[in-house]
Amino acid sequence: MRRFLPDNFTLMLVGAVILASLFPVSGVAADYFGMATKVAIGILFFLHGARLSRDVVVAGFLHWKLHLTILAATFLLFPLLGLSTGFLVPNILPPALYTGILFLCVLPSTVQSSIAFTSIAGGNVPAAICSASASNIFGMFLTPFLIGLLLSAGGNVGFSLDALQSILLQLLAPFVLGQILQPFIGSFIRGKRKLLMPFDRGSILMVVYLAFSESVTEGLWRTITIRDLAVVILLDIAILAIVLATTMFGSRWAGFSREDEIAITFCGSKKSLASGLPIATVIFAGQSIGSIVLPLMLFHQIQLMVCAVIAQKYADTAKQPRHQEAHPAAQA
């Protein structure tokens, strides 16, 4: 049953939301806290760039069919599903929450959990590392472009040049600097992962607290109902289920090996909270960010619970005698 329980980081995220709901930062204090959050986000993306080995980047081009399949699921299938929800539920969600669904669907894949689940399931871990890393690199360009495209298609204001400039300065520039310095500091930073993890998580918690403080001050919990949350959760589950089924059975139909199928299933179905929250603060500056990132935060916990079960099912199947071996979905 422990796989269905929230992890410690999820509990900390909930705590940040509760703290912002009870004691939101505002006024001059919010301005200073916002500047500190921007600095923390810049350092976070610098560390992302410094951690990523050049060997991983080069190796990513060797298995191009697998990587293109994962990128198609992440940046094509997901956005199409997000756009389709606008036709299914045009009148049962507040605009900010629907924007949050669209934003969720254009985000890159996770890195750590995609690799972890691929490893547990006995999949192609090097491919998962390459694809998840490439997804986050491309996401810095594709996410702003796609969210602008989807919002424009829905009749909303598209992506602005100011937001693009902010993405380049706050996110991409620190990442590129980290990549430039990676040959000199990469090994040191990867070796200090446990020491730097509190900073990684702390910067995300700062984003959550600031985003929900601004939204609570604007009346977030007076405009979102239990019914709205239930609809968002159902949409998150439906989108995840469709993508999981498509990546799992689609990769099998395309003739990928079992190891590649596992990597495609987990890397192609994830959405990154660590990248999504900082990007949201840049793209949606001045808007009700708390409402917009809420679908992503809910999706984060749902994907962890569901993929933990699937990974264990893959692992259990691999332990069976070869004449009994079958795919997890066939035994469910």
Side-chain angles (χ1 to χ4, degrees):
M1 291 296 295
R2 283 181 297 178
R3 72 187 62 172
F4 293 101
L5 297 176
D7 59 5
N8 291 334
F9 184 50
T10 299
L11 293 176
M12 287 189 286
L13 289 172
V14 173
V17 173
I18 294 174
L19 182 64
S21 300
L22 297 177
F23 306 102
V25 63
S26 59
V28 176
D31 294 335
Y32 284 110
F33 191 82
M35 287 188 288
T37 301
K38 289 181 179 180
V39 172
I41 291 172
I43 297 175
L44 176 66
F45 275 79
F46 170 79
L47 292 175
H48 284 330
R51 286 193 191 104
L52 186 58
S53 170
R54 298 284 175 82
D55 294 336
V56 171
V57 177
V58 174
F61 292 99
L62 300 180
H63 203 344
W64 61 269
K65 184 179 178 183
L66 178 143
H67 300 311
L68 285 179
T69 301
I70 293 174
L71 290 173
T74 304
F75 295 115
L76 183 60
L77 176 59
F78 260 109
L80 289 175
L81 291 174
L83 191 60
S84 68
T85 60
F87 300 102
L88 297 174
V89 288
N91 300 315
I92 62 175
L93 271 184
L97 285 179
Y98 176 57
T99 298
I101 294 290
L102 292 178
F103 178 65
L104 156 72
C105 289
V106 299
L107 286 173
S109 177
T110 62
V111 177
Q112 294 180 353
S113 63
S114 293
I115 296 169
F117 286 132
T118 300
S119 177
I120 292 171
N124 189 337
V125 174
I129 295 173
C130 294
S131 287
S133 302
S135 177
N136 277 262
I137 294 173
F138 292 138
M140 281 186 280
F141 300 98
L142 291 176
T143 294
F145 171 76
L146 289 173
I147 192 60
L149 193 64
L150 294 186
L151 289 177
S152 298
N156 298 305
V157 178
F159 183 63
S160 68
L161 292 178
D162 289 339
L164 176 60
Q165 183 179 21
S166 297
I167 288 282
L168 295 176
L169 292 177
Q170 295 182 34
L171 307 182
L172 183 60
F175 180 88
V176 171
L177 180 60
Q179 265 289 284
I180 293 173
L181 297 178
Q182 190 274 146
F184 308 103
I185 63 175
S187 297
F188 172 80
I189 290 178
R190 286 190 293 270
K192 302 296 182 182
R193 182 173 178 178
K194 290 185 178 180
L195 293 177
L196 293 174
M197 184 177 292
F199 179 84
D200 283 359
R201 294 187 170 185
S203 60
I204 299 302
L205 292 172
M206 290 174 67
V207 172
V208 171
Y209 177 67
L210 181 63
F212 276 87
S213 290
E214 294 174 350
S215 297
V216 167
T217 303
E218 296 171 2
L220 171 66
W221 301 124
R222 293 194 299 271
T223 58
I224 294 180
T225 65
I226 297 297
R227 172 184 167 279
D228 294 332
L229 291 177
V231 172
V232 170
I233 292 172
L234 289 175
L235 286 175
D236 280 352
I237 293 174
I239 290 172
L240 179 61
I242 292 172
V243 175
L244 281 170
T246 302
T247 51
M248 182 182 294
F249 294 108
S251 58
R252 201 174 300 173
W253 174 81
F256 285 100
S257 67
R258 181 181 185 276
E259 291 75 15
D260 288 348
E261 173 193 319
I262 291 171
I264 292 170
T265 299
F266 289 119
C267 294
S269 63
K270 294 286 196 311
K271 289 296 178 179
S272 176
L273 184 72
S275 296
L277 291 177
I279 292 175
T281 63
V282 176
I283 294 179
F284 302 107
Q287 301 183 43
S288 181
I289 299 178
S291 300
I292 294 172
V293 301
L294 190 57
L296 171 61
M297 295 177 64
L298 294 171
F299 188 88
H300 169 75
Q301 181 58 33
I302 293 169
Q303 72 181 4
L304 290 180
M305 293 189 297
V306 173
C307 289
V309 175
I310 295 176
Q312 191 58 55
K313 191 69 174 179
Y314 269 119
D316 293 342
T317 301
K319 296 176 183 177
Q320 296 177 0
R322 184 166 295 276
H323 69 277
Q324 295 180 356
E325 189 171 320
H327 284 285
Q331 298 184 2

mmCIF file of all heavy atoms in Angstrom, residues 178-220:
data_model
loop_
_atom_site.group_PDB
_atom_site.id
_atom_site.type_symbol
_atom_site.label_atom_id
_atom_site.label_comp_id
_atom_site.label_asym_id
_atom_site.label_seq_id
_atom_site.Cartn_x
_atom_site.Cartn_y
_atom_site.Cartn_z
ATOM 1 N N GLY A 178 25.742 26.309 -17.332
ATOM 2 C CA GLY A 178 26.049 25.059 -16.654
ATOM 3 C C GLY A 178 26.654 24.039 -17.599
ATOM 4 O O GLY A 178 27.590 23.318 -17.234
ATOM 5 N N GLN A 179 26.139 23.977 -18.838
ATOM 6 C CA GLN A 179 26.682 23.048 -19.826
ATOM 7 C C GLN A 179 28.118 23.430 -20.219
ATOM 8 O O GLN A 179 28.971 22.568 -20.405
ATOM 9 C CB GLN A 179 25.801 23.043 -21.070
ATOM 10 C CG GLN A 179 24.758 21.940 -21.092
ATOM 11 C CD GLN A 179 25.367 20.564 -21.291
ATOM 12 O OE1 GLN A 179 25.765 20.191 -22.386
ATOM 13 N NE2 GLN A 179 25.437 19.794 -20.199
ATOM 14 N N ILE A 180 28.374 24.732 -20.323
ATOM 15 C CA ILE A 180 29.733 25.185 -20.665
ATOM 16 C C ILE A 180 30.727 24.786 -19.579
ATOM 17 O O ILE A 180 31.852 24.345 -19.856
ATOM 18 C CB ILE A 180 29.736 26.712 -20.876
ATOM 19 C CG1 ILE A 180 28.914 27.082 -22.118
ATOM 20 C CG2 ILE A 180 31.160 27.240 -21.001
ATOM 21 C CD1 ILE A 180 28.724 28.564 -22.307
ATOM 22 N N LEU A 181 30.303 24.906 -18.330
ATOM 23 C CA LEU A 181 31.185 24.591 -17.204
ATOM 24 C C LEU A 181 31.143 23.121 -16.811
ATOM 25 O O LEU A 181 31.898 22.697 -15.932
ATOM 26 C CB LEU A 181 30.811 25.453 -15.989
ATOM 27 C CG LEU A 181 30.972 26.969 -16.162
ATOM 28 C CD1 LEU A 181 30.524 27.689 -14.906
ATOM 29 C CD2 LEU A 181 32.417 27.315 -16.492
ATOM 30 N N GLN A 182 30.266 22.340 -17.446
ATOM 31 C CA GLN A 182 30.085 20.935 -17.080
ATOM 32 C C GLN A 182 31.366 20.118 -17.094
ATOM 33 O O GLN A 182 31.601 19.328 -16.159
ATOM 34 C CB GLN A 182 29.035 20.311 -18.007
ATOM 35 C CG GLN A 182 28.580 18.920 -17.595
ATOM 36 C CD GLN A 182 29.500 17.830 -18.135
ATOM 37 O OE1 GLN A 182 29.716 16.820 -17.496
ATOM 38 N NE2 GLN A 182 30.037 18.052 -19.321
ATOM 39 N N PRO A 183 32.254 20.283 -18.090
ATOM 40 C CA PRO A 183 33.491 19.488 -18.062
ATOM 41 C C PRO A 183 34.348 19.748 -16.826
ATOM 42 O O PRO A 183 35.150 18.892 -16.431
ATOM 43 C CB PRO A 183 34.221 19.938 -19.336
ATOM 44 C CG PRO A 183 33.141 20.435 -20.235
ATOM 45 C CD PRO A 183 32.149 21.082 -19.323
ATOM 46 N N PHE A 184 34.202 20.921 -16.202
ATOM 47 C CA PHE A 184 35.043 21.288 -15.071
ATOM 48 C C PHE A 184 34.376 20.997 -13.723
ATOM 49 O O PHE A 184 35.059 20.661 -12.751
ATOM 50 C CB PHE A 184 35.395 22.778 -15.145
ATOM 51 C CG PHE A 184 35.965 23.193 -16.474
ATOM 52 C CD1 PHE A 184 35.173 23.870 -17.396
ATOM 53 C CD2 PHE A 184 37.273 22.892 -16.814
ATOM 54 C CE1 PHE A 184 35.679 24.254 -18.626
ATOM 55 C CE2 PHE A 184 37.792 23.268 -18.052
ATOM 56 C CZ PHE A 184 36.987 23.947 -18.961
ATOM 57 N N ILE A 185 33.036 21.123 -13.657
ATOM 58 C CA ILE A 185 32.354 20.982 -12.362
ATOM 59 C C ILE A 185 31.304 19.880 -12.360
ATOM 60 O O ILE A 185 30.714 19.598 -11.316
ATOM 61 C CB ILE A 185 31.684 22.312 -11.950
ATOM 62 C CG1 ILE A 185 30.585 22.700 -12.957
ATOM 63 C CG2 ILE A 185 32.718 23.433 -11.826
ATOM 64 C CD1 ILE A 185 29.795 23.933 -12.548
ATOM 65 N N GLY A 186 31.068 19.251 -13.529
ATOM 66 C CA GLY A 186 29.997 18.260 -13.627
ATOM 67 C C GLY A 186 30.166 17.096 -12.675
ATOM 68 O O GLY A 186 29.223 16.704 -11.974
ATOM 69 N N SER A 187 31.353 16.525 -12.614
ATOM 70 C CA SER A 187 31.597 15.374 -11.746
ATOM 71 C C SER A 187 31.409 15.742 -10.277
ATOM 72 O O SER A 187 30.836 14.973 -9.496
ATOM 73 C CB SER A 187 33.013 14.840 -11.965
ATOM 74 O OG SER A 187 33.173 14.382 -13.294
ATOM 75 N N PHE A 188 31.862 16.928 -9.903
ATOM 76 C CA PHE A 188 31.718 17.383 -8.514
ATOM 77 C C PHE A 188 30.238 17.519 -8.142
ATOM 78 O O PHE A 188 29.808 17.049 -7.078
ATOM 79 C CB PHE A 188 32.432 18.716 -8.328
ATOM 80 C CG PHE A 188 32.186 19.350 -6.985
ATOM 81 C CD1 PHE A 188 32.880 18.921 -5.868
ATOM 82 C CD2 PHE A 188 31.247 20.376 -6.849
ATOM 83 C CE1 PHE A 188 32.640 19.500 -4.620
ATOM 84 C CE2 PHE A 188 31.014 20.952 -5.609
ATOM 85 C CZ PHE A 188 31.709 20.513 -4.498
ATOM 86 N N ILE A 189 29.449 18.149 -9.030
ATOM 87 C CA ILE A 189 28.036 18.379 -8.736
ATOM 88 C C ILE A 189 27.271 17.058 -8.697
ATOM 89 O O ILE A 189 26.416 16.836 -7.823
ATOM 90 C CB ILE A 189 27.423 19.341 -9.770
ATOM 91 C CG1 ILE A 189 27.990 20.752 -9.565
ATOM 92 C CG2 ILE A 189 25.900 19.367 -9.666
ATOM 93 C CD1 ILE A 189 27.499 21.771 -10.538
ATOM 94 N N ARG A 190 27.572 16.149 -9.630
ATOM 95 C CA ARG A 190 26.889 14.844 -9.601
ATOM 96 C C ARG A 190 27.261 14.055 -8.347
ATOM 97 O O ARG A 190 26.449 13.307 -7.810
ATOM 98 C CB ARG A 190 27.243 14.051 -10.857
ATOM 99 C CG ARG A 190 26.559 14.554 -12.117
ATOM 100 C CD ARG A 190 26.753 13.597 -13.276
ATOM 101 N NE ARG A 190 28.148 13.536 -13.712
ATOM 102 C CZ ARG A 190 28.667 14.332 -14.640
ATOM 103 N NH1 ARG A 190 27.902 15.257 -15.220
ATOM 104 N NH2 ARG A 190 29.934 14.230 -15.003
ATOM 105 N N GLY A 191 28.486 14.246 -7.856
ATOM 106 C CA GLY A 191 28.914 13.557 -6.649
ATOM 107 C C GLY A 191 28.306 14.128 -5.382
ATOM 108 O O GLY A 191 28.279 13.460 -4.346
ATOM 109 N N LYS A 192 27.832 15.374 -5.449
ATOM 110 C CA LYS A 192 27.221 16.034 -4.285
ATOM 111 C C LYS A 192 25.696 16.081 -4.406
ATOM 112 O O LYS A 192 25.052 16.979 -3.884
ATOM 113 C CB LYS A 192 27.759 17.458 -4.138
ATOM 114 C CG LYS A 192 29.274 17.555 -3.996
ATOM 115 C CD LYS A 192 29.755 16.885 -2.717
ATOM 116 C CE LYS A 192 31.259 17.037 -2.557
ATOM 117 N NZ LYS A 192 31.758 16.359 -1.332
ATOM 118 N N ARG A 193 25.143 15.098 -5.061
ATOM 119 C CA ARG A 193 23.713 15.113 -5.352
ATOM 120 C C ARG A 193 22.861 15.187 -4.083
ATOM 121 O O ARG A 193 21.892 15.950 -4.018
ATOM 122 C CB ARG A 193 23.341 13.868 -6.147
ATOM 123 C CG ARG A 193 21.888 13.793 -6.563
ATOM 124 C CD ARG A 193 21.674 12.609 -7.485
ATOM 125 N NE ARG A 193 20.279 12.480 -7.852
ATOM 126 C CZ ARG A 193 19.810 11.555 -8.688
ATOM 127 N NH1 ARG A 193 20.658 10.692 -9.241
ATOM 128 N NH2 ARG A 193 18.539 11.496 -8.971
ATOM 129 N N LYS A 194 23.225 14.408 -3.063
ATOM 130 C CA LYS A 194 22.440 14.402 -1.833
ATOM 131 C C LYS A 194 22.524 15.742 -1.110
ATOM 132 O O LYS A 194 21.549 16.176 -0.481
ATOM 133 C CB LYS A 194 22.910 13.280 -0.914
ATOM 134 C CG LYS A 194 22.552 11.884 -1.427
ATOM 135 C CD LYS A 194 22.931 10.816 -0.409
ATOM 136 C CE LYS A 194 22.518 9.436 -0.906
ATOM 137 N NZ LYS A 194 22.881 8.370 0.063
ATOM 138 N N LEU A 195 23.685 16.388 -1.195
ATOM 139 C CA LEU A 195 23.823 17.681 -0.544
ATOM 140 C C LEU A 195 23.048 18.771 -1.272
ATOM 141 O O LEU A 195 22.548 19.713 -0.647
ATOM 142 C CB LEU A 195 25.307 18.067 -0.464
ATOM 143 C CG LEU A 195 26.188 17.203 0.449
ATOM 144 C CD1 LEU A 195 27.639 17.658 0.362
ATOM 145 C CD2 LEU A 195 25.691 17.263 1.891
ATOM 146 N N LEU A 196 22.955 18.642 -2.611
ATOM 147 C CA LEU A 196 22.285 19.668 -3.402
ATOM 148 C C LEU A 196 20.786 19.425 -3.545
ATOM 149 O O LEU A 196 20.056 20.323 -3.959
ATOM 150 C CB LEU A 196 22.925 19.740 -4.796
ATOM 151 C CG LEU A 196 24.375 20.235 -4.824
ATOM 152 C CD1 LEU A 196 24.946 20.114 -6.233
ATOM 153 C CD2 LEU A 196 24.464 21.669 -4.336
ATOM 154 N N MET A 197 20.314 18.216 -3.211
ATOM 155 C CA MET A 197 18.885 17.924 -3.355
ATOM 156 C C MET A 197 18.003 18.870 -2.551
ATOM 157 O O MET A 197 16.953 19.310 -3.045
ATOM 158 C CB MET A 197 18.595 16.473 -2.964
ATOM 159 C CG MET A 197 17.139 16.067 -3.177
ATOM 160 S SD MET A 197 16.815 14.331 -2.787
ATOM 161 C CE MET A 197 17.747 13.527 -4.097
ATOM 162 N N PRO A 198 18.364 19.224 -1.307
ATOM 163 C CA PRO A 198 17.529 20.188 -0.574
ATOM 164 C C PRO A 198 17.374 21.514 -1.314
ATOM 165 O O PRO A 198 16.309 22.142 -1.248
ATOM 166 C CB PRO A 198 18.275 20.364 0.754
ATOM 167 C CG PRO A 198 19.022 19.086 0.935
ATOM 168 C CD PRO A 198 19.446 18.694 -0.455
ATOM 169 N N PHE A 199 18.430 21.945 -2.013
ATOM 170 C CA PHE A 199 18.306 23.187 -2.777
ATOM 171 C C PHE A 199 17.347 22.999 -3.948
ATOM 172 O O PHE A 199 16.523 23.870 -4.229
ATOM 173 C CB PHE A 199 19.668 23.646 -3.300
ATOM 174 C CG PHE A 199 19.587 24.905 -4.105
ATOM 175 C CD1 PHE A 199 19.592 26.143 -3.479
ATOM 176 C CD2 PHE A 199 19.457 24.870 -5.492
ATOM 177 C CE1 PHE A 199 19.484 27.314 -4.220
ATOM 178 C CE2 PHE A 199 19.352 26.034 -6.232
ATOM 179 C CZ PHE A 199 19.372 27.252 -5.592
ATOM 180 N N ASP A 200 17.467 21.857 -4.652
ATOM 181 C CA ASP A 200 16.566 21.578 -5.769
ATOM 182 C C ASP A 200 15.121 21.653 -5.302
ATOM 183 O O ASP A 200 14.284 22.339 -5.893
ATOM 184 C CB ASP A 200 16.841 20.186 -6.337
ATOM 185 C CG ASP A 200 18.092 20.158 -7.199
ATOM 186 O OD1 ASP A 200 18.714 21.216 -7.351
ATOM 187 O OD2 ASP A 200 18.434 19.086 -7.711
ATOM 188 N N ARG A 201 14.831 20.937 -4.253
ATOM 189 C CA ARG A 201 13.456 20.884 -3.757
ATOM 190 C C ARG A 201 13.040 22.195 -3.118
ATOM 191 O O ARG A 201 11.888 22.611 -3.240
ATOM 192 C CB ARG A 201 13.317 19.729 -2.758
ATOM 193 C CG ARG A 201 13.503 18.361 -3.407
ATOM 194 C CD ARG A 201 13.193 17.229 -2.454
ATOM 195 N NE ARG A 201 13.157 15.952 -3.158
ATOM 196 C CZ ARG A 201 12.809 14.810 -2.583
ATOM 197 N NH1 ARG A 201 12.480 14.782 -1.305
ATOM 198 N NH2 ARG A 201 12.784 13.694 -3.292
ATOM 199 N N GLY A 202 13.995 22.835 -2.458
ATOM 200 C CA GLY A 202 13.670 24.110 -1.826
ATOM 201 C C GLY A 202 13.260 25.172 -2.830
ATOM 202 O O GLY A 202 12.334 25.954 -2.580
ATOM 203 N N SER A 203 13.927 25.213 -3.984
ATOM 204 C CA SER A 203 13.570 26.198 -5.003
ATOM 205 C C SER A 203 12.172 25.943 -5.552
ATOM 206 O O SER A 203 11.405 26.885 -5.812
ATOM 207 C CB SER A 203 14.602 26.182 -6.134
ATOM 208 O OG SER A 203 14.664 24.905 -6.753
ATOM 209 N N ILE A 204 11.813 24.674 -5.713
ATOM 210 C CA ILE A 204 10.466 24.342 -6.180
ATOM 211 C C ILE A 204 9.431 24.724 -5.132
ATOM 212 O O ILE A 204 8.356 25.266 -5.455
ATOM 213 C CB ILE A 204 10.360 22.841 -6.505
ATOM 214 C CG1 ILE A 204 11.334 22.465 -7.619
ATOM 215 C CG2 ILE A 204 8.939 22.485 -6.911
ATOM 216 C CD1 ILE A 204 11.142 23.221 -8.899
ATOM 217 N N LEU A 205 9.731 24.480 -3.865
ATOM 218 C CA LEU A 205 8.798 24.848 -2.802
ATOM 219 C C LEU A 205 8.621 26.364 -2.735
ATOM 220 O O LEU A 205 7.516 26.860 -2.448
ATOM 221 C CB LEU A 205 9.307 24.315 -1.459
ATOM 222 C CG LEU A 205 9.288 22.791 -1.301
ATOM 223 C CD1 LEU A 205 9.989 22.383 -0.001
ATOM 224 C CD2 LEU A 205 7.864 22.262 -1.337
ATOM 225 N N MET A 206 9.689 27.115 -3.004
ATOM 226 C CA MET A 206 9.582 28.570 -3.045
ATOM 227 C C MET A 206 8.631 29.009 -4.144
ATOM 228 O O MET A 206 7.801 29.912 -3.950
ATOM 229 C CB MET A 206 10.965 29.195 -3.266
ATOM 230 C CG MET A 206 11.905 29.077 -2.092
ATOM 231 S SD MET A 206 13.578 29.686 -2.468
ATOM 232 C CE MET A 206 13.261 31.448 -2.690
ATOM 233 N N VAL A 207 8.735 28.365 -5.320
ATOM 234 C CA VAL A 207 7.843 28.688 -6.440
ATOM 235 C C VAL A 207 6.393 28.411 -6.062
ATOM 236 O O VAL A 207 5.499 29.227 -6.325
ATOM 237 C CB VAL A 207 8.236 27.882 -7.695
ATOM 238 C CG1 VAL A 207 7.193 28.063 -8.798
ATOM 239 C CG2 VAL A 207 9.603 28.315 -8.203
ATOM 240 N N VAL A 208 6.150 27.244 -5.453
ATOM 241 C CA VAL A 208 4.781 26.873 -5.070
ATOM 242 C C VAL A 208 4.225 27.860 -4.044
ATOM 243 O O VAL A 208 3.085 28.331 -4.180
ATOM 244 C CB VAL A 208 4.759 25.438 -4.504
ATOM 245 C CG1 VAL A 208 3.388 25.110 -3.905
ATOM 246 C CG2 VAL A 208 5.094 24.438 -5.596
ATOM 247 N N TYR A 209 5.010 28.173 -3.034
ATOM 248 C CA TYR A 209 4.536 29.093 -1.997
ATOM 249 C C TYR A 209 4.226 30.469 -2.567
ATOM 250 O O TYR A 209 3.178 31.063 -2.260
ATOM 251 C CB TYR A 209 5.580 29.207 -0.889
ATOM 252 C CG TYR A 209 5.205 30.192 0.189
ATOM 253 C CD1 TYR A 209 4.130 29.950 1.043
ATOM 254 C CD2 TYR A 209 5.918 31.388 0.347
ATOM 255 C CE1 TYR A 209 3.774 30.858 2.024
ATOM 256 C CE2 TYR A 209 5.579 32.304 1.329
ATOM 257 C CZ TYR A 209 4.503 32.033 2.160
ATOM 258 O OH TYR A 209 4.139 32.943 3.130
ATOM 259 N N LEU A 210 5.110 30.988 -3.428
ATOM 260 C CA LEU A 210 4.879 32.307 -4.019
ATOM 261 C C LEU A 210 3.667 32.296 -4.942
ATOM 262 O O LEU A 210 2.819 33.206 -4.889
ATOM 263 C CB LEU A 210 6.115 32.749 -4.795
ATOM 264 C CG LEU A 210 6.040 34.119 -5.462
ATOM 265 C CD1 LEU A 210 5.873 35.223 -4.421
ATOM 266 C CD2 LEU A 210 7.282 34.385 -6.315
ATOM 267 N N ALA A 211 3.555 31.245 -5.783
ATOM 268 C CA ALA A 211 2.439 31.169 -6.738
ATOM 269 C C ALA A 211 1.106 31.107 -6.018
ATOM 270 O O ALA A 211 0.153 31.812 -6.382
ATOM 271 C CB ALA A 211 2.619 29.961 -7.645
ATOM 272 N N PHE A 212 1.022 30.272 -4.988
ATOM 273 C CA PHE A 212 -0.256 30.133 -4.283
ATOM 274 C C PHE A 212 -0.519 31.322 -3.369
ATOM 275 O O PHE A 212 -1.686 31.664 -3.122
ATOM 276 C CB PHE A 212 -0.296 28.819 -3.507
ATOM 277 C CG PHE A 212 -0.723 27.652 -4.355
ATOM 278 C CD1 PHE A 212 0.201 26.942 -5.085
ATOM 279 C CD2 PHE A 212 -2.064 27.309 -4.458
ATOM 280 C CE1 PHE A 212 -0.183 25.883 -5.893
ATOM 281 C CE2 PHE A 212 -2.468 26.254 -5.259
ATOM 282 C CZ PHE A 212 -1.536 25.535 -5.988
ATOM 283 N N SER A 213 0.519 31.977 -2.879
ATOM 284 C CA SER A 213 0.302 33.203 -2.097
ATOM 285 C C SER A 213 -0.377 34.263 -2.956
ATOM 286 O O SER A 213 -1.355 34.903 -2.523
ATOM 287 C CB SER A 213 1.640 33.734 -1.568
ATOM 288 O OG SER A 213 2.173 32.909 -0.570
ATOM 289 N N GLU A 214 0.134 34.448 -4.172
ATOM 290 C CA GLU A 214 -0.467 35.433 -5.076
ATOM 291 C C GLU A 214 -1.904 35.053 -5.414
ATOM 292 O O GLU A 214 -2.799 35.913 -5.446
ATOM 293 C CB GLU A 214 0.365 35.535 -6.349
ATOM 294 C CG GLU A 214 1.765 36.102 -6.128
ATOM 295 C CD GLU A 214 2.616 36.045 -7.384
ATOM 296 O OE1 GLU A 214 2.180 35.394 -8.360
ATOM 297 O OE2 GLU A 214 3.720 36.642 -7.382
ATOM 298 N N SER A 215 -2.139 33.770 -5.657
ATOM 299 C CA SER A 215 -3.477 33.329 -6.045
ATOM 300 C C SER A 215 -4.456 33.395 -4.874
ATOM 301 O O SER A 215 -5.616 33.770 -5.050
ATOM 302 C CB SER A 215 -3.427 31.890 -6.580
ATOM 303 O OG SER A 215 -2.630 31.823 -7.747
ATOM 304 N N VAL A 216 -3.990 33.051 -3.674
ATOM 305 C CA VAL A 216 -4.865 33.131 -2.495
ATOM 306 C C VAL A 216 -5.247 34.574 -2.221
ATOM 307 O O VAL A 216 -6.402 34.882 -1.883
ATOM 308 C CB VAL A 216 -4.158 32.505 -1.271
ATOM 309 C CG1 VAL A 216 -4.896 32.861 0.023
ATOM 310 C CG2 VAL A 216 -4.075 30.992 -1.428
ATOM 311 N N THR A 217 -4.282 35.476 -2.379
ATOM 312 C CA THR A 217 -4.563 36.902 -2.193
ATOM 313 C C THR A 217 -5.630 37.386 -3.173
ATOM 314 O O THR A 217 -6.447 38.263 -2.855
ATOM 315 C CB THR A 217 -3.278 37.728 -2.367
ATOM 316 O OG1 THR A 217 -2.285 37.270 -1.448
ATOM 317 C CG2 THR A 217 -3.547 39.203 -2.123
ATOM 318 N N GLU A 218 -5.634 36.785 -4.368
ATOM 319 C CA GLU A 218 -6.622 37.160 -5.389
ATOM 320 C C GLU A 218 -7.938 36.383 -5.252
ATOM 321 O O GLU A 218 -8.841 36.549 -6.064
ATOM 322 C CB GLU A 218 -6.034 36.922 -6.779
ATOM 323 C CG GLU A 218 -4.829 37.810 -7.086
ATOM 324 C CD GLU A 218 -4.137 37.411 -8.368
ATOM 325 O OE1 GLU A 218 -4.633 36.470 -9.033
ATOM 326 O OE2 GLU A 218 -3.115 38.027 -8.721
ATOM 327 N N GLY A 219 -8.037 35.508 -4.229
ATOM 328 C CA GLY A 219 -9.286 34.786 -3.992
ATOM 329 C C GLY A 219 -9.357 33.413 -4.624
ATOM 330 O O GLY A 219 -10.440 32.980 -5.047
ATOM 331 N N LEU A 220 -8.237 32.691 -4.657
ATOM 332 C CA LEU A 220 -8.189 31.375 -5.301
ATOM 333 C C LEU A 220 -9.250 30.432 -4.768
ATOM 334 O O LEU A 220 -10.023 29.839 -5.529
ATOM 335 C CB LEU A 220 -6.798 30.761 -5.100
ATOM 336 C CG LEU A 220 -6.635 29.296 -5.526
ATOM 337 C CD1 LEU A 220 -6.781 29.157 -7.040
ATOM 338 C CD2 LEU A 220 -5.283 28.745 -5.064
#
